[in-house]
Amino acid sequence: MGSSCSVIIAAASTILPELFSGGGSGEPLVRTVDRGRIDGVLPTRHSKKIDRFSQLVLLAAAQLKPIFAQADKSRVGVFIGNDLAGWNYAHQQLERMIKTRDPGQIDPYVATAWFPAAAQGEITIANGILGQSKTFSAGCLSGGLALEYAAHMVAGGTLDFALAGGVEAPNAPPVLEALAVQNRISVAHPAAEAAGLVALSRSKTAGLAEVTISHPRRSAERALDDIINQFRGAMRIKYQPPSVDKANRAWMEALAATEMLLRYRFGSRLELEAQPGDGMDVGSASFPIQVIEAARSSAEGTSSLVLGCDFEGLHLACAILPVA
């Protein structure tokens, strides 16, 4: 029906905080990744110059480096989505400057650390990547749009490899306050640092899964139409609903409507399964993380569907199938 393209996930990396029970009175509004994981990869001197969201994505990219290490770096690209990126690096310095009225509290790296495209730039610099690279910002669907664009660049032959996904580090107090006001997070459903990154290629050799992704559409049904033919012959289709705060009635109603649509299209073949990080808000990293989990499941012969929304009317659908 609609236009779509298929590529191979050659490797994937997910960065999430450790599992937790949630809901306790002493629980914070944000879950963070163990600092030791970052210190084991990044030099301390460099870590001090960049925001947390760049640290997280560099950790994810380091795990994928063997996949593209020998490739022509002019044929490798980087595509990263973020909704909020990182604010704490700038927030802490601005807070000190306001208290002391001393401009010297702002260090020389604040602009490059805070800049929304910093994560994408840090990956290209650290790995000598010279191909096309872009940053995407489209709410909770930012990481999905980065994947969609990267898939077209690889499928069309512009690139041999693409690193694509989403990253969030919503640990600054003003950001957490804004998310709470929007009813996106609560003590029972906190924000979380997260990154989901995949290496895309056209080669099926040792690939995790084949991915077909729709164009961004203005309805879930139209996005689904783009990729529904990929599921012909699939006996069961795993679907991971996005993780949202169950106290947010509008979001829960939207998810229920989506499930009704999928039940109508796939009937008894549809199987619902919780996604990794369920119970936390991982922002624009959600879509890539769902795709990664589905790709890992494909090794068992499972076909999966990821259907994402920015909660403002934009939808993206993805079929994740075992490599033929």
Side-chain angles (χ1 to χ4, degrees), residues 110-179:
V110 69
T112 52
W114 167 84
F115 194 61
Q120 163 224 313
E122 291 290 343
I123 293 177
T124 60
I125 293 169
N127 296 282
I129 292 173
L130 302 174
Q132 184 182 129
S133 299
K134 293 181 181 292
T135 294
F136 294 77
S137 183
C140 292
L141 207 53
S142 302
L145 293 186
L147 281 175
E148 186 265 343
Y149 188 90
H152 280 279
M153 292 300 99
V154 172
T158 300
L159 298 171
D160 294 330
F161 288 95
L163 302 186
V167 60
E168 300 289 355
N171 47 22
V175 170
L176 293 174
E177 184 177 347
L179 291 174

Side-chain angles (χ1 to χ4, degrees), residues 47-123:
S47 291
K48 290 181 178 180
K49 298 177 182 180
I50 60 178
D51 192 274
R52 184 74 166 182
F53 83 115
S54 291
Q55 295 174 6
L56 293 172
V57 85
L58 283 173
L59 176 59
Q63 297 176 4
L64 301 182
K65 190 170 183 177
I67 296 296
F68 63 89
Q70 303 304 315
D72 177 356
K73 297 305 188 295
S74 67
R75 301 278 300 170
V76 180
V78 179
F79 306 92
I80 303 296
N82 64 69
D83 178 19
L84 300 167
W87 282 83
N88 224 20
Y89 191 98
H91 171 76
Q92 291 173 350
Q93 294 179 43
L94 289 170
E95 198 171 45
R96 291 196 298 267
M97 185 184 71
I98 290 169
K99 288 179 179 177
T100 63
R101 299 193 177 187
D102 175 18
Q105 296 295 325
I106 305 295
D107 72 39
Y109 303 106
V110 69
T112 52
W114 167 84
F115 194 61
Q120 163 224 313
E122 291 290 343
I123 293 177

Side-chain angles (χ1 to χ4, degrees), residues 147-213:
L147 281 175
E148 186 265 343
Y149 188 90
H152 280 279
M153 292 300 99
V154 172
T158 300
L159 298 171
D160 294 330
F161 288 95
L163 302 186
V167 60
E168 300 289 355
N171 47 22
V175 170
L176 293 174
E177 184 177 347
L179 291 174
V181 168
Q182 295 172 12
N183 294 319
R184 269 183 58 174
I185 64 171
S186 63
V187 171
H189 189 88
E193 295 182 332
L197 197 63
V198 300
L200 300 177
S201 76
R202 290 186 301 280
S203 173
K204 294 185 178 183
T205 305
L208 282 179
E210 183 173 1
V211 175
T212 303
I213 191 163

Side-chain angles (χ1 to χ4, degrees), residues 20 117 177 179 231 256 289 306:
F20 76 111
E177 184 177 347
L179 291 174
F231 293 110
I289 287 172
V306 175

